[in-house]
Amino acid sequence: MTKTLPRFNRNQLVSFIGGMGKILHCRPDSGTWTYAVEMEMGPLPEMGRIGAETTILLYEMEIEEVLTS
């Protein structure tokens, strides 16, 4: 059981190896937290977009907070 609160919040901008994204949701997983992160969209392709680009699952230790000024 996870004893701590999640480090990151829903809709928070975060970075990780491979890019940046926004936290969609999180859940406890083996004593830590797993986060669903929607990656930032790249440039608009010629054929347009159908939906969101990519959502990935990351462990809390794989994520860094993006500081905004």
Side-chain angles (χ1 to χ4, degrees):
M1 179 158 184
T2 304
K3 295 180 181 179
T4 61
L5 295 174
R7 179 175 164 202
F8 303 104
N9 301 310
R10 187 174 183 190
N11 295 320
Q12 184 174 357
L13 187 62
V14 294
S15 67
F16 48 91
I17 294 177
M20 292 176 53
K22 178 177 68 170
I23 302 289
L24 297 178
H25 60 82
C26 66
R27 67 177 181 194
D29 184 5
S30 301
T32 186
W33 292 89
T34 300
Y35 295 81
V37 179
E38 183 179 52
M39 294 180 71
E40 285 187 327
M41 290 192 183
L44 184 65
E46 289 181 28
M47 65 278 201
R49 285 198 172 87
I50 295 174
E53 297 239 322
T54 303
T55 299
I56 58 174
L57 296 176
L58 296 170
Y59 288 113
E60 191 167 76
M61 65 185 175
E62 299 172 312
I63 302 173
E64 295 293 327
E65 182 176 4
V66 173
L67 300 177
T68 56
S69 53

